[in-house]
Amino acid sequence: MIDAEALASYCTTLLEAERISDYCPNGLQVQGQRPVRRLVSGVTASRALIEAAIAADADAILVHHGWFWKGEAPCLVGMKGQRVGLMMRAEQSLLAYHLPLDVHPVLGNNRQLAEVLGIEAPRPATDDGLIWQGRLPQPMPATAFADAVGRRLARAPLHVAAVDRAIEQVAWCTGAAQRHLAQAHALGADLFISGEISEQTVHEARELGIDYLAAGHHATERYGVQALGEHLAEHFGLEHRYIELDNPV
């Protein structure tokens, strides 16, 4: 077992969180009283996840999407107050890592998504590590790749077809990164993957000549937190369980 503060300190060092500029705090967001033996992980610190962690008798919760976002009202009232109250009464701790868990070269969402989708030679394509690039084992029609993504993520992506050609070079950024489509095109990618889509994304993809897959914010960002949870379990001898909560976005 380990106390939550020490666990967060280890994660902060491992993910190099202090060097990454983010719009939310990374690390220990709620400090509970329980030493950590049983760790639950999930994508977002929602009430449903907290209730599931309480039912699992977890000592701490590890998430990608925590609380206290820039520009958000700081008061612990309403929905946020109820979430915090649940955790405090259960004496649980909350650890959250946002951008540091996107960009980590081994445990990060981008790296882990490449493993799930079978993308070869995955590597950061930008200095900040947010956009990654790799290639498919062999060229294939974009529709066939979109079908494969749907099977592996258990969620059919929204496919914006731009050019009728086989694809091989792929770029991606998990979450809500449709704004990086032009950067992906400049990198020479045939297809760009992210989680969400905006109205203008369709026009940009067609005019730039790059296919786009909106594969789901939740679906593309559930693998980093699992990898980190498993690493912590092995390193500290903890019990770890990832809890999947359905989210169509």
Side-chain angles (χ1 to χ4, degrees), residues 8 12 17 25-30 94-97:
T12 296
N26 288 290
L28 188 61
Q29 292 192 343
V30 175
L94 176 65
L95 292 79
Y97 292 93

Side-chain angles (χ1 to χ4, degrees), residues 40 53 69 78 108 183 217:
V40 154
W69 300 91
Q183 286 179 270
H217 195 137

Side-chain angles (χ1 to χ4, degrees), residues 4-18 20 22-29 39 42-45 61-67 69 94-104 107-109 174 221 224-226 228-229 232:
E5 191 172 9
L7 187 63
S9 177
Y10 175 84
C11 291
T12 296
T13 300
L14 175 67
L15 301 177
E16 299 184 276
E18 293 181 346
I20 298 172
D22 209 337
Y23 38 95
C24 61
N26 288 290
L28 188 61
Q29 292 192 343
L39 177 67
V43 176
T44 299
I61 303 174
L62 171 68
V63 296
H64 179 50
H65 300 137
W67 301 332
W69 300 91
L94 176 65
L95 292 79
Y97 292 93
H98 185 231
L99 293 184
L101 194 54
D102 285 321
V103 305
H104 192 271
L107 303 174
N109 284 317
T174 63
E221 294 202 320
V225 74
Q226 293 182 62
L228 178 57
L232 296 175

Side-chain angles (χ1 to χ4, degrees), residues 21 61 88 105 120 147 180 184 195 203 222 229 232 237:
S21 177
I61 303 174
M88 297 300 289
E120 297 183 342
D147 288 343
H180 295 311
H203 303 293
R222 59 189 171 198
L232 296 175

Side-chain angles (χ1 to χ4, degrees), residues 68-145:
F68 313 110
W69 300 91
K70 184 177 180 180
E72 183 181 75
C75 301
L76 299 180
V77 298
M79 179 179 68
K80 187 188 295 183
Q82 292 170 12
R83 291 175 174 179
V84 174
L86 277 174
M87 291 204 70
M88 297 300 289
R89 287 190 293 273
E91 300 185 334
Q92 292 176 331
S93 297
L94 176 65
L95 292 79
Y97 292 93
H98 185 231
L99 293 184
L101 194 54
D102 285 321
V103 305
H104 192 271
V106 178
L107 303 174
N109 284 317
N110 283 319
R111 181 65 178 84
Q112 292 295 314
L113 185 64
E115 291 289 326
V116 172
L117 298 183
I119 299 172
E120 297 183 342
R123 63 198 182 279
T126 54
D127 290 341
D128 59 13
L130 287 174
I131 301 176
W132 280 51
Q133 191 170 19
R135 65 174 184 272
L136 302 184
Q138 59 186 24
M140 67 172 65
T143 53
F145 180 62

Side-chain angles (χ1 to χ4, degrees), residues 34 37-41 48-61 92 239-243:
R34 302 164 61 156
R37 300 181 181 86
R38 184 175 293 118
L39 177 67
V40 154
S41 65
L49 180 63
I50 296 167
E51 290 174 340
I54 292 172
D57 195 28
D59 305 304
I61 303 174
Q92 292 176 331
E239 179 184 334
H240 168 247
R241 175 188 169 193
Y242 168 76
I243 294 180

